[in-house]
Amino acid sequence: MSNDTTVVIGAGPYGLSIGAYLLGRSQPVLVFGRTMEFWQQMPSGFHLKSVWSASTLFDPDGRYSLDRYCAATGRPRQEPLPIRLFLDYCCWFQRQAVPNVDPTYISRLARDGEVFVIELADGRSLKARRVVVASGIAPFSYVPEFARHLPPELATHTQAHRDFAGFAGREVVVVGRGQSALESSALLHEAGAHVELIARGPVIWINRTLYHRTGPARRIFYPPSDVGPPGLNWLVASPLLFRLFPEKTRYALDRRAVRPAGAEWLRPRVEGHVRITDTAEVVKAVPRGERLELTLSDGSTRLVDHLFLGTGYRPDIHKLAFLDEALRAQILARDGYPVLNEWFESSVPRLHFAGALANHSFGPICRFVAGAKIPARQILRCAQRDRHPVYSA
């Protein structure tokens, strides 16, 4: 292995895009992870919230876009984008652009002087000059305090399910009001469950009137990345600009840009089919035999067969089990997020973070597929600069 090899941890949209950028410009790179593993576990009936233009992976020459895949395979364009079509595309992208992904898990990442030591789950070890952590959001699922003591037979995060058929005829509650909670509610209803959605605020549906009514001019209002409401979405689409704002401003912009909401195409599958309680929240959950008793903030109770937590994700580097403690202590962080420079590089030289863990520095686009292009480009440039430094006279 070359002394200037970059190791990428993760083979989701970010890991694959970064690997493709590096390989596409002849940079030595090794990508570890199971291709699209987190996404492969989603229910087959899921659809992406992102629009078509925001659902492509990235390589430096644009050879392997979603449109190119459909042209090459004869697959028709579908919106909303089914998870199966997206996964087929991503696996095609991987075979074309990053053919040598190693599916072995990383068990430990440590630092030894100027290099990183990577220990693999199969007993192998290697060293690398640069490491990119693009390991996705699976370790960061958020479970509210009231549910942390509950057994998985009674309560689970929505990410734990690929199939809801086993809940036919059962009484279930879904907590949350974002896309995952809303789509899980729809799929549970369609599988025959009796579903109530409990949210601590009103359910918001994304309104894309300007997108539908402005024809070709829609790009004035909506960038291809399509994250955030019109007026704010162009700023969100420019993470290198976003990072220049003060921390307090970035927090405020982030909250406004990605409020919990459901895609407009999902609305007819929820309203009129799922009971919605949006004026209370669950404050207590107690097992009652094979069922679960929920107490709500309004004093009412529910006796259900299962509780689904569509409560999202809260990235935190302390939840990355493979990070060596000594290395973790060297990473400057804010609220669990590493503080990153313009190269997506942490306070530890040549240790980069991409995806949701970059949200604090670069904004909410880092939580979406469309956000993979900028870190791929920036990390490539950083690697090229280190291989071929420019010295002033």
Side-chain angles (χ1 to χ4, degrees), residues 228-256:
L232 184 56
N233 48 15
W234 279 103
L235 173 58
V236 172
S238 306
L240 295 177
L241 174 61
F242 190 98
R243 68 176 289 272
L244 299 179
F245 284 87
E247 183 176 75
K248 190 174 182 179
T249 303
R250 295 201 308 273
Y251 275 123
L253 292 171
D254 186 285
R255 286 195 300 271
R256 177 61 188 91

Side-chain angles (χ1 to χ4, degrees), residues 75-286:
R75 300 283 290 270
R77 176 171 177 152
Q78 299 178 57
E79 287 196 83
L81 178 59
I83 185 65
R84 188 67 261 166
L85 173 56
F86 179 65
L87 286 170
D88 289 346
Y89 158 62
C90 291
C91 290
W92 173 84
F93 179 97
Q94 181 262 307
R95 292 192 299 270
Q96 304 297 321
V98 200
N100 295 322
V101 171
D102 188 323
T104 311
Y105 290 125
I106 304 295
S107 58
R108 181 171 176 265
L109 172 65
R111 194 180 184 207
D112 182 10
E114 294 297 310
V115 299
F116 295 95
V117 178
I118 299 105
E119 297 177 3
L120 305 179
D122 62 7
R124 288 178 292 157
S125 64
L126 59 141
K127 293 184 177 181
R129 177 174 171 78
R130 184 182 311 279
V131 171
V132 181
V133 177
S135 49
I137 61 174
F140 308 135
S141 57
Y142 174 66
V143 176
E145 180 67 35
F146 73 82
R148 291 175 189 169
H149 67 289
L150 298 174
E153 294 79 18
L154 294 176
T156 48
H157 196 276
T158 52
Q159 78 166 22
H161 298 273
R162 295 189 64 181
D163 186 0
F164 294 111
F167 295 94
R170 303 179 73 188
E171 301 281 346
V172 303
V173 157
V174 180
V175 172
R177 57 190 181 119
Q179 180 74 8
S180 178
L182 292 165
E183 193 163 7
S184 294
S185 296
L187 289 170
L188 280 159
H189 163 73
E190 291 160 5
H194 305 288
V195 189
E196 179 180 5
L197 179 80
I198 296 178
R200 58 183 177 183
V203 172
I204 299 171
W205 299 102
I206 296 172
N207 184 338
R208 294 174 57 81
T209 301
L210 286 174
Y211 184 87
H212 295 302
R213 294 186 178 178
T214 52
R218 66 171 60 101
R219 285 300 170 221
I220 297 173
F221 305 102
Y222 294 91
S225 57
D226 196 42
V227 177
L232 184 56
N233 48 15
W234 279 103
L235 173 58
V236 172
S238 306
L240 295 177
L241 174 61
F242 190 98
R243 68 176 289 272
L244 299 179
F245 284 87
E247 183 176 75
K248 190 174 182 179
T249 303
R250 295 201 308 273
Y251 275 123
L253 292 171
D254 186 285
R255 286 195 300 271
R256 177 61 188 91
V258 287
R259 293 183 299 174
E264 58 183 345
W265 51 261
L266 183 60
R267 190 171 188 171
R269 294 170 55 193
V270 174
E271 291 186 339
H273 302 289
V274 172
R275 177 185 175 188
I276 297 176
T277 301
D278 59 6
T279 56
E281 58 185 305
V282 178
V283 294
K284 187 178 180 182
V286 179

Side-chain angles (χ1 to χ4, degrees), residues 14 17-18 21 58 225 236-241 243 341-344 353-355 362 365-366 368-382:
Y14 280 79
S17 295
I18 292 165
Y21 256 76
F58 301 96
S225 57
V236 172
S238 306
L240 295 177
L241 174 61
R243 68 176 289 272
N341 65 17
E342 63 184 300
W343 310 110
F344 288 75
F353 289 86
F362 292 97
I365 198 172
C366 298
F368 295 84
V369 174
K373 182 176 183 177
I374 300 301
R377 188 189 69 191
Q378 292 297 98
I379 292 167
L380 168 63
R381 289 177 176 176
C382 191

